[in-house]
Amino acid sequence: MKHSLLAVALLGAFAGAAQAQTAVQIYGTIDAGVIKRSGETLNIGKRASNTLGFKGTEDLGNGLKALFQLEMRYEPDTGTNEIGGNGTQRPLFQGQSRVGLQGDFGMVRIGRGLTPYHETIGAFEPFHASPSPAGFWTDIAVAGYGSQPLDQAGYSNNRFSNGVWYNSPIVSGFQLNTAIATKEGGGAAAIVGRGTTANPQYPAGGEASANPFSITGTYNNGPAAFMAGYERNAIESKVWSIGASFAATPELKLMGLYSKQDQENTRIVNANTKAWVLGANYTMGPGKFLAGYGQKDVDGLQKVKQLSLGYEYSLSKRTYLYVDASRKKGINALQSTVNHYDVGVNHSF
């Protein structure tokens, strides 16, 4: 009985909130498939992030709007909060939790979310920012760079917490996107860096040595699109990228990226990483072919090469089937080649 009363109270609260807003939307994505990787058994997994979100706007008059967005991410096979690479369960609103204002001046938001650098660069690799190993966004395209090295191990590495974002209005196809975060630590383990095990450069749970910031400029007008981005994280690693895409025909889109990461603040040797990706998308009826090749060179220490092919077949505007095959060489000394295969379904609502 108590649970029933609580459920009624919560539904009433959400209904009241919805009436107070000009517009509130519940949205999400569920993606599940069968995956096989070298050295692993067949398993149920995902190609894209599974999300459940709430976003809304309130018209304040004179062209000014208040806005918010909360987005959680979950595992499709177990229903639990999203799990990080080391098995750590991520925060409830891992995707983002931001509130802000929008008007003729652009948009200002405060909270947690993708950095402008990561938010922009995903549009210039052929697997459209899919975090799947078949795609390039989370490793090759960004030269292996991470935005939040002082977060707990396993947390997402392409977001800022405790940040402020500004997106300018789009003028003749041009837009400026920026973000800056505080020096607050995220509970990370010690980072030895240029220190020693006994005296690490960044002690466990410590603060950053600099305010992380991210900035990108984009142009998108007609068949051509361009981007340039720069970001510095909490331990002063830096990355910059340039990218371009071109719709050669209504069916064929070509794209390319170049990135360079500088880790001199925490590395004595092998501090610079260069990476590039070339890709294409070709649409044929309800189907789309995805193809890409990229390389990452860690200052001569390690060279990673990746070839990926994919196919998506749209059953509707919200649902598509997919199949991918990827081969990655030069992973590490213990495993030089990893093949990845997946087949599944993606539905958005």
Side-chain angles (χ1 to χ4, degrees):
M1 182 65 179
K2 290 183 179 180
H3 290 296
S4 299
L5 291 174
L6 178 60
V8 171
L10 288 172
L11 287 172
F14 275 114
Q19 290 174 2
Q21 296 284 336
T22 301
V24 174
Q25 179 184 352
I26 299 174
Y27 69 94
T29 302
I30 182 163
D31 182 300
V34 179
I35 297 173
K36 178 67 175 73
R37 287 173 62 79
S38 299
E40 299 180 9
T41 60
L42 193 72
N43 66 86
I44 302 298
K46 60 188 178 183
R47 182 205 208 204
S49 297
N50 286 269
T51 62
L52 174 62
F54 309 86
K55 60 183 177 181
T57 61
E58 181 183 10
D59 192 344
L60 302 176
N62 298 317
L64 186 64
K65 294 181 179 179
L67 52 90
F68 80 91
Q69 189 166 3
L70 298 169
E71 185 177 288
M72 63 181 292
R73 287 163 47 169
Y74 61 92
E75 299 297 348
D77 52 342
T78 62
T80 58
N81 283 1
E82 188 175 64
I83 304 298
N86 68 340
T88 301
Q89 196 166 86
R90 291 172 167 173
L92 175 62
F93 291 113
Q94 154 70 11
Q96 65 172 298
S97 54
R98 291 188 283 194
V99 63
L101 296 172
Q102 184 174 13
D104 294 338
F105 56 85
M107 181 166 55
V108 176
R109 291 169 292 172
I110 301 173
R112 169 184 170 81
L114 279 171
T115 72
Y117 175 75
H118 284 283
E119 202 163 30
T120 299
I121 204 170
F124 294 85
E125 66 92 9
F127 282 73
H128 43 72
S130 169
S132 165
F136 298 86
W137 175 43
T138 56
D139 184 26
I140 306 293
V142 298
Y145 167 85
S147 296
Q148 283 285 81
L150 295 184
D151 270 0
Q152 294 183 41
Y155 278 29
S156 176
N157 64 1
N158 49 21
R159 285 164 167 76
F160 281 166
S161 295
N162 306 302
V164 179
W165 282 255
Y166 171 70
N167 304 87
S168 76
I170 298 174
V171 179
S172 300
F174 290 94
Q175 186 175 33
L176 180 69
N177 313 282
T178 64
I180 187 168
T182 68
K183 293 183 180 181
E184 295 176 58
I191 298 175
V192 174
R194 287 176 172 265
T196 63
T197 303
N199 187 25
Q201 186 175 358
Y202 292 91
E207 287 193 345
S209 58
N211 287 95
F213 74 89
S214 181
I215 181 170
T216 64
T218 59
Y219 173 80
N220 194 339
N221 196 356
F226 304 93
M227 70 81 64
Y230 180 86
E231 185 171 308
R232 180 188 70 192
N233 66 21
I235 60 174
E236 300 183 61
S237 296
K238 309 171 185 72
V239 66
W240 63 266
S241 298
I242 54 174
S245 67
F246 183 74
T249 69
E251 298 81 18
L252 177 63
K253 181 181 179 182
L254 306 173
M255 61 206 73
L257 266 171
Y258 178 83
S259 301
K260 184 175 181 180
Q261 180 182 187
D262 173 1
Q263 295 174 279
E264 290 184 0
N265 188 56
T266 55
R267 288 188 179 183
I268 299 174
V269 296
N270 307 118
N272 295 297
T273 302
K274 300 176 182 178
W276 57 267
V277 176
L278 295 176
N281 293 159
Y282 185 78
T283 302
M284 183 182 294
K288 178 186 286 188
F289 294 91
L290 304 88
Y293 180 80
Q295 289 190 14
K296 181 175 72 171
D297 188 344
V298 187
D299 210 7
L301 179 68
Q302 176 194 33
K303 181 169 285 188
V304 179
K305 301 177 181 180
Q306 180 177 331
L307 172 65
S308 294
L309 301 173
Y311 179 72
E312 299 172 354
Y313 186 86
S314 295
L315 300 174
S316 70
K317 290 183 178 180
R318 294 182 176 273
T319 304
Y320 65 86
L321 306 176
Y322 61 82
V323 58
D324 302 311
S326 177
R327 184 177 181 86
K328 201 168 186 177
K329 299 182 66 175
I331 308 302
N332 53 51
L334 298 177
Q335 192 173 24
S336 60
T337 301
V338 171
N339 296 321
H340 173 98
Y341 308 97
D342 62 50
V343 57
V345 58
N346 182 292
H347 174 75
S348 60
F349 57 88

